[in-house]
Amino acid sequence: IPTGIGKLDEALNGGLGKKELGLIAGSMGFGKTCLSTAIASYAATYRCDSNFNNGYKVLQIVFEDGIVAIERKHIARITNVEACNLSKDENQETIKNFINSYKDKDTLNNNLRIMEFLSGEPTAKDIELYLNKLINSGFKPDVMILDYFECLDKGSIAKGESEWNAEGRVMRKFENMAKKYDIAVWITTQGSKDSVASEIMTNDKIGGSVKKTQIAHVILTIARTQEDVRKKVATLALTKNRFGQSGQVWAGVEFDNGTCRISTDNVEEFKDMTDFGRKQEEDQLEMQRDIFQQIKKAN
């Protein structure tokens, strides 16, 4: 199932496959919901050629963002008007005209289902029960996107079992769900406190149990400095790819939280994290040389 993020889809040979479990990791406020919404919108309206315009069936599950907030994110992506500006009077006519002429409006309505659960209450079993209910009603998802893992109830912890083992058990249930229902599953998760200031987010900076990263077939991480947020860019890294090459890093990804538009058309691409680290060292040395030259000139 394609994500619409060009370089990522190339690395994944087209996207996340059915029966596969993908993890999207990033610090709080770094764009996990933006990214998952972009994936949902693209998959639901995907056209592989002129003869196929039915898209994929998408179930987008949210906890902390309400359904209306997510719908606004989808509208922002369609209209390129930031979600926070959709209600402004001066934008109303433009938005209405854009939506009325949007060729994939019916396809998106037919293919996308957004479901909100209360944070901290549903278990993996509750999610599966809802998935079953949806399938029985005639809507069979091709991809399920869950935003985010920490909002799930991990269930009762057995005597002697650690919280980390419980997290691994929950992830395993979603892996089994992907296989059982023949769907692709994306789950977003929080980064640790060490991930906030990182120029690249590695798997050891994903919060919670390491078992989450062990079970996931694909892991995509988001890293952003405050300057990146201001410039509306991010660094994405494919830190795990069980079915192909992993380690690719894309710096300077266009990443607009306000409109959920993400593009890798003009990125700096690195074959692995070592390559990325080497470039960071070179940039640091170059900056030091520039500072030295400025001091030398001043003296």
Side-chain angles (χ1 to χ4, degrees):
I1 312 295
T3 66
I5 303 168
K7 295 294 184 181
L8 176 62
D9 285 337
E10 286 178 20
L12 295 178
N13 295 315
L16 188 70
K18 290 186 177 183
K19 303 184 189 297
E20 294 177 9
L21 175 62
L23 197 64
I24 297 171
S27 294
M28 182 174 61
F30 274 24
K32 296 185 296 297
T33 302
C34 166
L35 181 57
S36 59
T37 298
I39 291 173
S41 178
Y42 186 83
T45 58
Y46 177 68
R47 294 168 177 260
C48 67
D49 56 45
S50 59
N51 298 317
F52 179 84
N53 61 355
N54 291 327
Y56 292 99
K57 301 294 185 185
V58 181
L59 170 59
Q60 187 175 4
I61 295 175
V62 296
F63 297 93
E64 294 185 343
D65 291 278
I67 291 176
V68 172
I70 297 300
E71 289 175 340
R72 289 173 69 87
K73 289 180 183 293
H74 282 283
I75 294 171
R77 187 173 185 275
I78 292 168
T79 62
N80 204 27
V81 175
E82 291 195 6
C84 61
N85 294 326
L86 289 175
S87 299
K88 290 185 177 180
D89 291 340
E90 61 266 30
N91 292 328
Q92 295 306 297
E93 195 65 29
T94 300
I95 292 167
K96 287 178 182 177
N97 290 337
F98 205 112
I99 290 176
N100 287 335
S101 62
Y102 180 52
K103 63 182 180 180
D104 292 321
K105 180 173 63 175
D106 292 336
T107 304
L108 185 62
N109 280 328
N110 290 334
N111 286 350
L112 177 64
R113 296 292 181 272
I114 305 169
M115 177 61 186
E116 178 187 4
F117 285 92
L118 294 177
S119 182
E121 294 193 2
T123 63
K125 184 63 177 177
D126 293 325
I127 302 296
E128 184 173 7
L129 287 172
Y130 178 75
L131 180 59
N132 263 311
K133 180 180 178 181
L134 203 58
I135 293 171
N136 290 336
S137 73
F139 187 91
K140 167 64 170 64
D142 296 297
V143 57
M144 179 171 71
I145 301 169
L146 189 144
D147 182 26
Y148 55 97
F149 183 82
E150 285 74 15
C151 294
L152 289 165
D153 179 357
K154 308 308 184 294
S156 58
I157 298 177
K159 186 177 180 180
E161 182 185 27
S162 70
E163 181 182 348
W164 298 150
N165 281 338
E167 285 196 352
R169 178 161 41 79
V170 172
M171 278 295 288
R172 188 68 73 187
K173 287 181 179 179
F174 280 102
E175 180 194 27
N176 292 337
M177 224 179 289
K179 295 175 180 177
K180 178 179 178 181
Y181 296 97
D182 191 33
I183 58 175
V185 176
W186 282 108
I187 299 177
T188 67
T189 188
Q190 297 278 24
S192 67
K193 62 181 181 180
D194 296 329
S195 68
V196 177
S198 299
E199 293 183 337
I200 185 172
M201 185 172 175
T202 49
N203 289 346
D204 60 314
K205 292 183 174 65
I206 296 175
S209 173
V210 69
K211 292 182 180 295
K212 286 190 294 186
T213 62
Q214 292 172 340
I215 294 168
H217 302 141
V218 169
I219 300 176
L220 178 69
T221 67
I222 309 168
R224 307 181 83 182
T225 64
Q226 289 304 313
E227 182 67 9
D228 287 340
V229 174
R230 187 185 68 80
K231 291 182 177 180
K232 297 183 178 180
V233 297
T235 297
L236 301 183
L238 183 62
T239 60
K240 183 177 180 181
N241 180 10
R242 191 177 291 179
F243 307 106
Q245 181 184 348
S246 59
Q248 296 98 315
V249 179
W250 303 286
V253 176
E254 295 177 31
F255 201 109
D256 192 333
N257 276 26
T259 62
C260 295
R261 292 197 173 193
I262 301 168
S263 173
T264 57
D265 288 347
N266 301 294
V267 297
E268 194 170 6
E269 189 170 4
F270 302 91
K271 62 182 180 181
D272 53 40
M273 294 183 193
T274 301
D275 193 25
F276 177 82
R278 188 181 299 115
K279 180 61 165 56
Q280 294 302 103
E281 290 177 1
E282 290 173 357
D283 289 346
Q284 185 71 22
L285 286 172
E286 185 64 31
M287 184 176 68
Q288 290 172 359
R289 291 191 194 100
D290 289 343
I291 293 172
F292 179 77
Q293 290 297 325
Q294 290 172 19
I295 293 172
K296 190 175 180 180
K297 288 178 181 179
N299 291 334

